[in-house]
Amino acid sequence: MKAGVVGIGLIGGSIVKDLRHVGSISKIYGTDLNPEHCKEALELGLVDEITSLTEMIKKTDLIIISIPVDAARNVVVEVLDQINDHQVVTDVGSTKSGICKAVSVHKNRGRFVAGHPIAGTENSGPTAAIENLFLNKTGIICNREETDDDALEMIEGLYQALGMNIKYMEADEHDKHIAYVSHLSHISSFALALTVLRIEESEENIFDMAGSGFSSTVRLAKSSPDMWKPIFQHNSEYLERALDGYIDQLHDFKTFIKHNKTEDIHQLMAKANDIRRILDGKVKD
Amino acid sequence: MKAGVVGIGLIGGSIVKDLRHVGSISKIYGTDLNPEHCKEALELGLVDEITSLTEMIKKTDLIIISIPVDAARNVVVEVLDQINDHQVVTDVGSTKSGICKAVSVHKNRGRFVAGHPIAGTENSGPTAAIENLFLNKTGIICNREETDDDALEMIEGLYQALGMNIKYMEADEHDKHIAYVSHLSHISSFALALTVLRIEESEENIFDMAGSGFSSTVRLAKSSPDMWKPIFQHNSEYLERALDGYIDQLHDFKTFIKHNKTEDIHQLMAKANDIRRILDGKVKD
């Protein structure tokens, strides 16, 4: 089987890095708008050959679209226009309603698998690609009933080869939950970086005092604006709701601190501690 | 030299764990209000002997107070009341104005070193103590001019033995900067956990979708409420100012998202990205 990856960055690059070890993949083609990324992807051995999208569609069985979600929406249609009914195309975007709507009545809709392998780092580009990025992570497949059985099976096999646990969701449901759990974290981190950069005049103090947790909390603020801009745009409705809740919560803290309501603050923190149990996997139904 | 540690948790425990390898320390005494912690500290070999505070003061050359900042304020006075002019006492608290004020006119003020080794994890208790927690971190010493030269030298030696870079600050200045860089991060993380716990009905979704950065951003929300309650209380003024700035920043994001001002969002994120340079140590004066 021959695979192609459109966008050879952190996610696309990490996928094909692991696919190297999958026996059924004989060749990997890549394409990227950034010529430097193409060069690096070849040098790093992420792909065997750089090709145009048109050529890739002619030569491959599977195409993985791993580019910002606004561009992905167009490219998936372009690919679906040209593929035959044995080829499969999937995406990795962090919002799923838009892309699912864009292809919903396409004659080749069945060849598309709307995917979201939930993993990442704050880095980007081919040099950010790492092995085992997806190991033991969750891979979400949306609107599976709109996908042909054989296409679904191929992507399920791909996710399993990457070591992911597969979950199925409707696109809108996915977008809601991911806004609350992932997209909000990114905004909270970007806003934290901006606040500290503005309020703290001394860069040296930021560096010196970052030991105590700031580095971890602000890590996502290093993420790519090009990638995140369209995600926030596509998921604006749920994100607004999440931000409202977050700002309310911060106001509670501020009020309690202002009025020295220490027991209330203690209670809030004790409640927040419960996140440890959930992240340790001890979840209640 | 004999040392004593009051409060054998994450910080106190990690300090004495590393002090084991310092040749000049011949014996380590410990005391903790929690009998279970005393037992664990002995079992883990963090301390050689559990003793009362009064006995510890009689037997040791150096006393390290590593308990919540409200309790530390009282204990440091109690220790200063009883020590001779060769003994040294230091603390590790994350707020420094209160403790410095509490001892400012004490006859033994010179024997106290107001310290803040800036390191930690989200865990607590003796089992959370780890080696090299302070390696290459910053150790801040406040109001050094109020400390006797020999006492200052002893603690500088201790910080160096732990691998820390030493910085000097006035207590109030310390509290302001640490509110902006560290304390705000903790509130942002506690509030993020609370928001997600409230808005996301499904614990399973939180667990499944946490791969994409949520875990890192919310890590500090696992921190001990007993430790953080008095910190927020002591540093309420600067923390309120930091929270105001943070909430304003989040409002900017919300407004831009609501009105689809994607270029403004992109600009905010690009600006936030600058935090990478600073955390990589490439600071401007």
Side-chain angles (χ1 to χ4, degrees):
Chain A
M1 193 171 86
K2 289 170 183 169
V5 58
V6 181
I8 323 165
L10 163 68
I11 300 296
S14 298
I15 291 176
V16 293
K17 201 158 193 167
D18 283 350
L19 284 192
R20 287 279 172 210
H21 310 302
V22 177
S24 55
I25 308 273
S26 59
K27 187 160 183 179
I28 297 172
Y29 295 88
T31 187
D32 197 296
L33 284 182
N34 183 334
E36 192 57 36
H37 285 186
C38 292
K39 205 174 143 242
E40 285 172 356
L42 275 176
E43 282 167 5
L44 293 165
L46 297 175
V47 300
D48 300 303
E49 196 178 321
I50 296 295
T51 179
S52 69
L53 181 61
T54 312
E55 284 302 306
M56 186 187 283
I57 295 169
K58 285 181 192 155
K59 289 174 180 166
T60 56
D61 307 285
L62 164 67
I63 291 177
I64 302 157
I65 301 173
S66 49
I67 56 179
V69 292
D70 48 350
R73 205 185 274 192
N74 300 325
V75 171
V76 71
V77 172
E78 199 180 331
V79 173
L80 284 181
D81 286 346
Q82 299 174 58
I83 62 176
N84 65 39
D85 56 6
H86 296 294
Q87 289 174 292
V88 174
V89 54
T90 189
D91 81 318
V92 301
S94 188
T95 53
K96 301 258 68 83
S97 294
I99 201 161
C100 284
K101 262 183 217 141
V103 300
S104 66
V105 295
H106 197 286
K107 66 178 187 345
N108 287 329
R109 170 64 184 89
R111 310 312 301 162
F112 172 60
V113 183
H116 183 197
I118 304 186
T121 73
E122 69 277 25
N123 304 315
S124 45
T127 54
I130 49 178
E131 278 176 23
N132 292 322
L133 179 62
F134 306 98
L135 191 63
N136 298 322
K137 298 286 162 54
T138 302
I140 296 187
I141 292 175
C142 289
N143 300 10
R144 68 169 151 173
E145 69 289 352
E146 296 174 22
T147 294
D148 295 346
D149 287 347
D150 66 308
L152 186 63
E153 269 167 39
M154 188 195 282
I155 301 306
E156 287 169 340
L158 172 79
Y159 278 21
Q160 279 154 4
L162 296 174
M164 281 195 280
N165 307 308
I166 303 173
K167 302 268 168 176
Y168 303 93
M169 278 188 179
E170 289 307 295
D172 183 69
E173 193 195 354
H174 164 277
D175 287 4
K176 183 175 82 173
H177 295 303
I178 206 79
Y180 298 166
V181 182
S182 162
H183 300 171
L184 176 62
S185 305
H186 283 79
I187 301 266
S188 89
S189 199
F190 279 119
L192 182 65
L194 288 165
T195 307
V196 172
L197 288 169
R198 198 174 48 189
I199 202 171
E200 174 57 68
E201 322 84 45
S202 157
E203 293 189 354
E204 199 180 317
N205 281 335
I206 299 176
F207 177 73
D208 289 341
M209 291 178 157
S212 49
F214 177 65
S215 306
S216 146
T217 321
V218 88
R219 182 174 68 81
L220 298 178
K222 303 173 187 172
S223 305
S224 158
D226 293 338
M227 182 185 144
W228 282 95
K229 185 184 80 168
I231 293 176
F232 295 153
Q233 192 178 6
H234 286 196
N235 216 8
S236 59
E237 202 181 309
Y238 290 122
L239 199 45
E240 259 186 78
R241 206 183 294 178
L243 269 170
D244 277 335
Y246 188 50
I247 292 170
D248 281 352
Q249 196 64 68
L250 289 163
H251 271 297
D252 282 354
F253 268 104
K254 206 191 119 185
T255 307
F256 292 155
I257 287 170
K258 191 184 176 84
H259 299 293
N260 201 24
K261 292 191 178 288
T262 55
E263 282 319 306
D264 290 310
I265 298 172
H266 193 282
Q267 263 182 34
L268 281 185
M269 289 191 281
K271 215 164 143 188
N273 280 175
D274 203 27
I275 203 72
R276 183 191 288 267
R277 172 182 60 78
I278 296 172
L279 293 179
D280 285 347
K282 294 168 193 150
V283 300
K284 292 180 206 154
D285 285 338
Chain B
M1 195 171 85
K2 290 171 182 166
V5 57
V6 182
I8 323 165
L10 163 68
I11 300 296
S14 297
I15 290 176
V16 293
K17 201 157 192 167
D18 282 350
L19 284 192
R20 288 278 172 209
H21 311 301
V22 176
S24 56
I25 308 272
S26 59
K27 187 161 184 179
I28 297 172
Y29 293 89
T31 187
D32 198 297
L33 284 182
N34 183 334
E36 192 57 37
H37 284 186
C38 291
K39 206 175 140 240
E40 285 172 358
L42 275 177
E43 281 167 7
L44 293 164
L46 297 175
V47 300
D48 300 302
E49 196 179 320
I50 297 294
T51 179
S52 68
L53 180 60
T54 311
E55 283 304 305
M56 186 187 284
I57 296 170
K58 285 181 192 157
K59 289 174 178 165
T60 56
D61 307 285
L62 163 67
I63 292 177
I64 301 157
I65 300 173
S66 49
I67 55 179
V69 293
D70 48 350
R73 204 185 274 192
N74 299 325
V75 171
V76 71
V77 172
E78 199 181 331
V79 173
L80 284 180
D81 286 347
Q82 299 174 57
I83 62 175
N84 65 39
D85 57 5
H86 296 295
Q87 289 174 291
V88 174
V89 55
T90 189
D91 81 317
V92 301
S94 189
T95 53
K96 302 259 67 84
S97 293
I99 202 162
C100 284
K101 263 184 216 139
V103 300
S104 66
V105 294
H106 196 287
K107 67 179 189 338
N108 287 329
R109 169 63 184 91
R111 309 313 300 161
F112 172 60
V113 183
H116 183 198
I118 304 186
T121 73
E122 69 277 24
N123 304 314
S124 45
T127 54
I130 48 177
E131 278 177 23
N132 292 323
L133 178 63
F134 306 99
L135 191 62
N136 298 322
K137 298 287 163 53
T138 302
I140 295 187
I141 292 175
C142 289
N143 300 11
R144 69 169 149 173
E145 69 289 350
E146 296 173 21
T147 293
D148 295 346
D149 287 347
D150 67 308
L152 186 63
E153 270 169 39
M154 188 195 281
I155 301 305
E156 287 170 340
L158 171 79
Y159 278 21
Q160 280 155 3
L162 297 174
M164 283 194 280
N165 307 309
I166 302 173
K167 302 269 169 174
Y168 304 93
M169 277 189 178
E170 289 307 296
D172 183 68
E173 193 195 353
H174 164 277
D175 287 4
K176 182 175 82 174
H177 295 302
I178 205 80
Y180 297 166
V181 182
S182 161
H183 300 171
L184 176 62
S185 306
H186 282 79
I187 300 267
S188 89
S189 198
F190 278 119
L192 181 66
L194 289 166
T195 306
V196 172
L197 288 169
R198 199 175 48 190
I199 204 171
E200 175 56 69
E201 322 84 45
S202 156
E203 293 189 354
E204 199 181 317
N205 281 336
I206 300 176
F207 178 73
D208 289 340
M209 292 179 155
S212 51
F214 177 65
S215 306
S216 145
T217 321
V218 88
R219 181 173 68 82
L220 298 177
K222 303 174 188 172
S223 304
S224 157
D226 293 339
M227 182 185 146
W228 283 95
K229 184 183 83 168
I231 293 176
F232 295 153
Q233 191 178 8
H234 286 195
N235 217 7
S236 59
E237 202 181 309
Y238 290 122
L239 199 44
E240 260 187 77
R241 207 184 292 178
L243 269 170
D244 277 336
Y246 187 50
I247 291 170
D248 280 353
Q249 197 63 69
L250 288 163
H251 270 298
D252 282 355
F253 268 104
K254 206 192 119 185
T255 306
F256 291 155
I257 287 170
K258 190 184 176 83
H259 299 292
N260 201 24
K261 291 190 177 289
T262 55
E263 282 318 308
D264 291 308
I265 298 172
H266 193 281
Q267 263 182 34
L268 280 185
M269 289 190 282
K271 216 164 144 188
N273 281 175
D274 203 27
I275 204 72
R276 183 192 288 266
R277 172 183 60 77
I278 297 172
L279 293 179
D280 285 346
K282 295 167 192 150
V283 299
K284 293 180 203 151
D285 286 339

